[in-house]
C-alpha cells in the first residue's frame, strides 16, 4: 500500500501532517520580523488553542493528524541519525563555524531526541550556551541573539513539500528563513518507519538550483497539476519538475503554470486560487488583468524526456475546462469581488481554503463575506478560529500537508 496517495485537491482527506506552533513563535521580536517573514507577533497560548481546534475539526471528520515534530523525533531513532541530522542542519546555518559550531552541536546532543527537535525548531539563543569569548571571535562580536534562528513559519507545513500521486516533491525554499524547513521532510522520508520501507519516489529534491514551494502546487486531478509562477516559485523549477513527472510518474500529463503577480500579498498560488469541488474554485480577482485575463502555460511532454510542448492561454477557465474535461467552471471570488472586502479578506487568507472532501472546505472564521458566499454556492463551510493563526499570513491550506486522500 502506498504511504502517499494524493491524486486531487478534493478527494476525501484521510491523513495530514500539521505542525503545532511552539516556542519558535515566542522567539519573534519586532526587530527581526521582516527577516523571519512575519508582519506581527502572535500570542502563542491563543494561537495553540486555535491550532488545536483546527486539528480537532480534522479528527472529527476521521482524518488522521500527524505532527511534524513527532514524525521528526521518531525518524531520529539512533545516535547516528541524530548526529547526522544536527550536522546537516548546522552546516546550512549561515554563520556558524569552528569552535562555536562545535559548542552548539555539543549543546544539542545533551538533550533527548524530542528536545533536540524542539530546540532546533524553536531557535537557540546565544545566552543559552556558555562560549568563552576568548575562544570565539564570532561569539565575541555577534549581535544577533540566536546561534540557531527560530523557525516560526513551520506551522505552514504545505510549503516544504508537496504530495503528488504516490510520491513527493521536497521544496527548495526561496527565503533563507525557511530554507532549512525542507530538511525535516528529507529526514522523515528517508528514516521514518512509515516512509522508509515504502520508499515513496521523490519527484524533485531540495538541492535543486531554483526555488519551488508546496503552496504553489495544486493537484487538480490524477493527470493535471497546477503550479504558480510566483514570488517563491520559479519558471525553471516548474519546467524541471514537469519533465521529471512526465518521465517518472506516468499519470501526470499536463502541468498548468499560472503566472500570478509577484508580491508578498500573493505569495503562493494557493493564496489566490484553490479548488473547492469538482468544478468550483476560489479566486482572488486581483490576479486577473482588467480584461479578466491571466497567463496560463500548459506544459506537456515533448519529443523527448528533455523537451516540453508549451501552449499559452489567457483565460484560466478555458485552460481548466480543457485540462480537466469540464463543460463549466464556477469561480467564487474572494470577498465577492468587492473592491474593499476582496483584498481585506484575501490578506486574511479568504482564498486559502482546505478541501477535505468534494464541496467541503475549512476556512478562517474572520472571512465572513467569502464564507457566506461559499455557503450560498452550496459548499459545506467549516470555520475555524483565526485571530492569532492568521497573523502568520497563511490559511487552512497553508497549515496542512495532505499525504493521503481517497481517489
Amino acid at each position: 500500500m502506498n504511504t502517499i496517495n494524493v491524486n486531487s485537491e478534493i478527494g476525501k482527506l484521510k491523513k495530514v501532517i500539521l505542525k503545532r506552533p511552539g516556542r519558535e513563535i515566542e522567539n519573534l521580536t519586532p526587530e527581526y520580523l521582516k527577516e523571519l517573514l512575519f508582519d506581527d507577533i502572535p500570542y502563542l497560548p491563543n494561537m495553540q488553542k486555535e491550532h488545536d481546534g483546527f486539528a480537532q475539526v480534522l479528527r472529527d471528520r476521521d482524518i488522521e493528524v500527524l505532527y511534524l515534530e513527532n514524525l521528526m523525533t521518531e525518524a531520529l531513532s539512533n545516535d547516528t541519525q541524530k548526529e547526522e541530522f544536527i550536522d546537516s542542519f548546522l552546516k546550512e546555518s549561515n554563520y556558524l563555524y569552528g569552535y562555536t559550531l562545535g559548542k552548539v552541536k555539543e549543546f544539542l546532543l545533551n538533550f533527548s531526541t524530542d528536545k533536540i527537535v524542539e530546540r532546533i525548531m524553536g531557535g537557540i539563543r546565544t545566552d543559552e550556551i556558555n562560549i568563552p569569548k576568548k575562544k570565539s571571535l564570532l561569539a565575541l562580536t555577534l549581535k544577533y541573539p540566536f546561534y540557531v534562528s527560530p523557525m516560526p513559519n513551520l506551522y505552514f507545513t504545505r510549503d516544504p513539500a508537496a504530495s503528488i500521486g504516490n510520491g513527493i516533491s521536497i521544496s527548495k525554499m526561496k527565503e533563507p528563513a525557511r530554507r532549512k524547513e525542507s530538511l525535516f521532510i528529507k529526514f522523515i522520508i528517508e528514516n521514518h518507519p512509515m516512509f522508509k520501507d515504502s520508499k515513496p519516489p521523490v519527484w524533485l529534491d531540495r538541492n535543486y538550483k531554483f526555488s519551488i514551494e508546496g503552496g504553489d502546487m495544486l493537484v487538480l486531478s490524477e493527470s493535471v497539476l497546477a503550479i504558480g509562477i510566483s514570488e517563491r516559485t520559479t519558471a525553471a523549477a516548474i519546467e524541471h519538475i514537469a519533465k521529471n513527472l512526465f518521465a517518472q510518474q506516468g499519470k501526470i500529463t499536463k502541468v498548468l503554470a499560472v503566472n500570478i503577480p509577484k508580491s508578498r500579498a500573493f505569495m503562493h498560488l494557493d493564496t489566490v486560487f484553490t479548488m473547492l469541488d469538482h468544478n468550483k474554485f476560489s479566486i482572488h480577482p486581483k490576479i486577473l488583468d482588467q480584461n479578466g485575463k491571466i497567463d496560463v502555460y500548459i506544459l506537456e511532454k515533448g519529443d523527448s524526456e528533455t523537451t516540453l510542448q508549451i501552449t499559452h492561454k489567457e483565460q484560466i477557465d478555458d485552460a481548466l475546462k480543457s485540462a480537466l474535461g469540464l463543460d463549466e467552471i464556477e469561480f467564487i471570488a474572494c470577498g465577492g469581488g468587492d473592491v474593499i472586502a476582496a483584498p481585506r479578506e484575501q490578506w486574511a487568507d479568504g482564498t486559502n481554503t482546505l478541501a477535505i472532501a468534494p464541496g467541503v472546505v475549512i476556512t478562517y472564521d474572520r472571512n465572513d463575506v467569502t464564507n457566506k458566499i461559499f455557503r450560498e454556492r452550496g459548499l459545506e463551510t467549516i470555520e475555524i478560529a483565526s485571530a492569532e493563526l492568521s497573523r502568520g499570513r497563511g490559511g487552512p491550506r497553508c497549515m496542512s500537508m495532505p499525504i493521503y486522500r481517497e481517489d
Side-chain angles (χ1 to χ4, degrees):
M1 180 179 175
N2 294 328
T3 309
I4 296 174
N5 190 76
V6 176
N7 292 302
S8 77
E9 287 292 307
I10 60 171
K12 185 174 173 57
L13 184 59
K14 302 300 292 182
K15 194 176 293 189
V16 66
I17 297 176
L18 307 183
K19 163 66 176 80
R20 189 174 191 257
R23 65 189 294 270
E24 64 275 3
I25 299 298
E26 293 193 323
N27 274 330
L28 285 168
T29 62
E31 186 176 358
Y32 300 108
L33 284 179
K34 185 176 180 181
E35 181 177 343
L36 295 172
L37 310 178
F38 266 67
D39 300 309
D40 201 353
I41 301 174
Y43 177 51
L44 182 60
N46 286 356
M47 190 185 202
Q48 289 178 327
K49 289 178 186 175
E50 292 173 359
H51 195 273
D52 291 345
F54 174 45
Q56 192 57 50
V57 164
L58 295 170
R59 293 189 189 99
D60 290 344
R61 295 291 179 127
D62 298 322
I63 299 164
E64 183 179 357
V65 173
L66 305 170
Y67 285 100
L68 181 71
E69 54 270 43
N70 295 341
L71 293 174
M72 191 64 216
T73 299
E74 292 158 3
L76 304 180
S77 59
N78 59 57
D79 292 342
T80 301
Q81 289 171 343
K82 277 186 272 193
E83 192 160 354
E84 182 187 351
F85 174 67
I86 291 171
D87 285 342
S88 297
F89 191 89
L90 296 182
K91 182 181 178 182
E92 294 193 18
S93 296
N94 293 332
Y95 52 83
L96 287 180
Y97 64 92
Y99 182 79
T100 305
L101 186 148
K103 295 298 286 185
V104 173
K105 177 179 176 180
E106 180 184 309
F107 171 79
L108 285 168
L109 286 172
N110 283 325
F111 291 102
S112 61
T113 307
D114 60 330
K115 293 299 181 184
I116 290 173
V117 173
E118 181 186 319
R119 286 281 172 170
I120 285 178
M121 290 180 170
I124 300 173
R125 291 168 44 161
T126 55
D127 60 9
E128 292 182 275
I129 305 177
N130 183 22
I131 297 181
K133 305 299 183 185
K134 293 182 179 179
K135 293 191 175 184
S136 172
L137 183 62
L138 174 64
L140 193 64
T141 59
L142 185 65
K143 302 301 181 185
Y144 187 57
F146 299 100
Y147 286 129
V148 172
S149 295
M151 306 175 76
N153 297 280
L154 265 178
Y155 77 101
F156 299 129
T157 54
R158 177 71 61 161
D159 299 326
S163 301
I164 304 170
N166 68 336
I168 192 167
S169 167
I170 303 178
S171 302
K172 169 64 179 286
M173 311 288 279
K174 181 189 176 186
E175 298 294 340
R178 300 200 67 181
R179 207 159 285 160
K180 293 190 286 294
E181 291 180 24
S182 59
L183 191 61
F184 295 113
I185 303 296
K186 175 183 182 293
F187 267 80
I188 289 167
I189 291 295
E190 291 178 353
N191 298 298
H192 194 282
M194 184 190 306
F195 300 100
K196 184 173 65 174
D197 296 334
S198 62
K199 292 182 173 58
V202 176
W203 310 127
L204 184 145
D205 68 41
R206 64 188 299 273
N207 296 317
Y208 185 63
K209 180 178 179 181
F210 298 103
S211 66
I212 186 168
E213 300 190 359
D216 277 309
M217 307 173 77
L218 280 68
V219 183
L220 300 182
S221 75
E222 187 178 53
S223 60
V224 181
L225 180 68
I227 309 180
I229 312 170
S230 71
E231 184 194 48
R232 304 282 178 90
T233 291
T234 60
I238 296 173
E239 284 196 15
H240 185 65
I241 194 171
K243 290 175 184 176
N244 287 351
L245 288 167
F246 295 155
Q248 302 169 31
Q249 199 257 0
K251 293 182 179 179
I252 297 287
T253 59
K254 289 183 174 66
V255 173
L256 309 186
V258 185
N259 195 19
I260 66 173
K262 314 300 182 285
S263 72
R264 177 158 171 76
F266 304 160
M267 196 182 310
H268 294 118
L269 180 61
D270 71 359
T271 65
V272 291
F273 176 81
T274 51
M275 192 171 188
L276 311 169
D277 203 342
H278 294 283
N279 68 337
K280 294 178 181 177
F281 298 83
S282 67
I283 193 166
H284 181 43
K286 288 292 185 180
I287 67 169
L288 307 175
D289 68 16
Q290 60 184 4
N291 296 313
K293 295 180 179 180
I294 185 172
D295 288 320
V296 181
Y297 302 93
I298 303 172
L299 280 58
E300 298 175 276
K301 189 174 182 178
D303 297 330
S304 70
E305 290 186 359
T306 59
T307 61
L308 296 170
Q309 177 182 318
I310 303 175
T311 306
H312 176 225
K313 288 184 178 289
E314 293 182 321
Q315 298 288 347
I316 191 169
D317 55 343
D318 287 345
L320 290 169
K321 282 190 283 189
S322 174
L324 298 175
L326 295 171
D327 294 327
E328 295 295 332
I329 293 288
E330 184 177 347
F331 289 128
I332 303 177
C334 182
D338 181 80
V339 67
I340 298 297
R344 184 187 73 242
E345 294 204 352
Q346 189 274 332
W347 182 256
D349 294 286
T351 320
N352 190 259
T353 62
L354 172 65
I356 60 172
V360 183
V361 296
I362 299 178
T363 65
Y364 277 163
D365 59 355
R366 64 188 300 144
N367 296 312
D368 54 293
V369 176
T370 306
N371 292 343
K372 181 175 182 289
I373 297 170
F374 283 162
R375 293 188 177 100
E376 290 172 351
R377 299 289 186 91
L379 298 165
E380 182 181 349
T381 305
I382 305 166
E383 298 182 4
I384 61 170
S386 58
E388 301 301 321
L389 289 174
S390 63
R391 295 179 191 269
R393 300 288 296 114
R397 189 180 192 274
C398 289
M399 295 190 298
S400 56
M401 180 191 165
I403 59 171
Y404 206 97
R405 287 183 183 270
E406 292 181 358
D407 291 337

